[in-house]
Amino acid sequence: MNSVARLSRPDTPTAGHATHDTGIADKLSARIGQRPYAMWFERSAKLQFEPTRDAVRVAVPNRFVADWIERHFERDVAAAAGESVGRDVQVEIDIDPAAFSRQDSVASAGVTSAPSANEAATGEQATRKRRRRPVDTAALLARRGLRHRLEQFVVGPSNELAHAACCRLADEAVEGKRTHSPLFLHGGCGLGKTHLLQGACRRVLEQMPDAGVLYLTGEQFTNDYITAVRTGKLDDFRRRMRSLELLALDDLHFLANKSSTQQEFLHSFDQIDLGGARVVLASDSHPRLIDKFSEQLVSRCVQGLVVQVNRPDGDTRRKLVAAMARRRGLILEPVAEAILAAQIGTDGSVREIEGLLTKLHALITLAGDHEATAQPVGRHWVDRLIHGENHSTTRRRVHYEHIVAVVTQELGVTEAQLAGRGRHSQVVLARAVLIRLCRELTTMSFPEIARAMGKSNHSTVITADQRLKRQIDGGLTARLAGHDDAMPLTDLLERLRRSVTRT
């Protein structure tokens, strides 16, 4: 087996080997930074320079280190070596556990030249080359729940910087380039932050299916951390978090007022950054405005690029209407696009556009006009939709107190339980249903709903609504008070919706 020296600068040339002082270690450390160099090369890699082949062989103990160095540092190793020897150099990364299990006799470890021909042949036979397993990318993306693509994001003045930053972060992750980290996106609900985070993760995985990429919400991070503590698997949790190349954490505000979870995330954050990986975060507020966030975590969040995602302007709303309609199989005439965009208004969000288009599609489909879905939708259908919307709005105004009364009666909970901190499943469901009905049937915003419910932070209200959506998508069921049979959450919501608007 070849004697492979650790990567460092030789003091003097070795007889029979390269006659020039390469200085690769110093140049590599200067290129990638001392901390990543110490983490990935001082302890986890050994390097040989072979002048007869103009190649640098990087020996590593396992596949994980090999993959990481290849993706993140291969170009830097080649550039450092090329600069040292004055010509282009190839990089060969080999998995060689034996090189790390024996005691090397090299007292002053250096970048050595090639061994004899016999030694080289023996070493090449013993070195195990990496073999990549084929990956079903489509199945991988489906398992991760990454539905959104950056290419489908509708860009306008309100979000173009956020979109460009996510594209750059994803592309540089694929190319192995260094970038500013973290990227922090903030803005109101329904403005596309989740789309951007998932799109960045998806772009990386489409080009590198075996990359360490993870998208999760603040709630999922918290739940996984608590479960790891309770089950004694905290080391596994930390290993999973800290071996990533890209971490995308949505709804970071969920960590507010959770000091131990914030501390754990901060530790993971530091370790990920130490390894040169990327972090992209999203929240409904600027880091400095999130209640009960530690100063350390705020400082780390604002260390990189902080970008606000604003509400779409008129032109962007119109492009959103057209794009989202096409995804539903509807082609809108220009006048229909303009009317719908105006109907959303300056305070509108992507979710409100989606809601209007859902109703428009249902209106056309339920009318039995199959030809209408096969040709551009004109002003006639949009006027019918808006007339119905205005009629239902002016017919009866729904008040928060009335929705509370219906929800408590139908689900068998009390108003005190709704306003309390109890976590009984029926009470948690009732709160989420109340929030959803308030968003659908009133003009209340999430902060207004939170204040009405006596909550100091509206992030908990947003989280409850998002959790209910996931439960609906997952086909979960629930029971009404006095009923033995469970019904799908979609049916339960529709029943409560009718009760609220009927009484």
Side-chain angles (χ1 to χ4, degrees), residues 392-412:
S392 62
T393 302
T394 56
R395 181 179 56 195
R396 185 177 186 278
R397 185 177 179 183
V398 178
H399 294 278
Y400 171 81
E401 293 77 12
H402 178 60
I403 299 176
V404 170
V406 172
V407 170
T408 53
Q409 179 180 351
E410 294 283 2
L411 295 182

Side-chain angles (χ1 to χ4, degrees), residues 154-170:
V154 177
V155 182
S158 61
N159 55 34
E160 58 186 348
L161 179 56
H163 177 261
C166 284
C167 289
R168 186 191 68 175
L169 180 140

Side-chain angles (χ1 to χ4, degrees), residues 162 166 183-187 193 196-197 280-283 305 307 309:
C166 284
L183 169 61
F184 192 105
L185 308 181
H186 68 97
K193 300 186 300 298
L196 291 172
L197 264 62
V280 55
L281 309 168
S283 173
L305 179 63
V307 181
V309 184

Side-chain angles (χ1 to χ4, degrees), residues 28 32 36 40-41 44-47 56-79 90-95 128-133 171-178 207-212 245 275-276 278:
L28 181 61
I32 69 176
W40 293 104
F41 289 92
S44 303
K46 299 184 179 183
L47 182 147
V56 175
R57 176 179 179 266
V58 183
V60 295
N62 53 55
R63 181 182 297 276
F64 171 75
V65 176
D67 288 343
W68 190 280
I69 288 178
E70 182 186 37
R71 294 196 196 101
H72 295 86
F73 304 118
E74 183 176 13
R75 294 184 180 182
D76 293 309
V77 172
Q90 293 182 335
V91 177
E92 299 174 354
I93 305 175
D94 296 332
I95 298 175
R128 287 175 286 179
K129 303 291 185 181
R130 289 176 295 139
R131 298 287 189 269
R132 294 187 184 276
R133 293 176 296 175
D171 292 341
E172 292 186 347
V174 172
E175 297 169 2
K177 295 181 180 178
R178 305 287 294 174
Q207 299 181 67
M208 298 194 309
D210 57 346
E245 295 168 64
R278 295 149 183 85

Side-chain angles (χ1 to χ4, degrees), residues 243-371:
S243 63
L244 297 172
E245 295 168 64
L246 172 59
L247 170 63
L249 189 68
D250 209 348
D251 298 330
L252 184 67
H253 49 267
F254 187 85
L255 274 58
N257 201 28
K258 299 178 177 64
S259 57
S260 62
T261 306
Q262 289 182 34
Q263 193 67 23
E264 181 63 32
F265 176 69
L266 185 61
H267 288 161
S268 296
F269 198 156
D270 288 338
Q271 289 296 318
I272 291 171
D273 184 60
L274 179 65
R278 295 149 183 85
V279 178
V280 55
L281 309 168
S283 173
D284 61 356
S285 301
H286 188 283
R288 298 193 186 281
L289 300 179
I290 301 177
D291 292 338
K292 299 180 180 178
F293 235 37
S294 73
E295 283 298 323
Q296 285 180 302
L297 191 50
V298 171
S299 177
R300 295 293 280 114
C301 289
V302 300
Q303 180 178 328
L305 179 63
V306 179
V307 181
Q308 183 172 6
V309 184
N310 295 302
R311 294 194 177 277
D313 61 8
D315 289 340
T316 306
R317 288 199 304 273
R318 186 164 176 170
K319 289 193 291 185
L320 279 166
V321 167
M324 297 173 72
R326 284 195 299 271
R327 292 172 200 166
R328 294 178 174 274
L330 296 176
I331 303 298
L332 302 178
E333 292 182 356
V335 65
E337 292 177 4
I339 294 172
L340 287 172
Q343 181 71 8
I344 298 299
T346 57
D347 293 332
S349 68
V350 175
R351 291 177 186 170
E352 291 179 70
I353 295 174
E354 187 175 13
L356 267 183
L357 290 172
T358 298
K359 293 175 183 177
L360 177 62
H361 188 265
L363 180 65
I364 296 172
T365 303
L366 294 176
D369 190 345
H370 300 292
E371 293 184 359

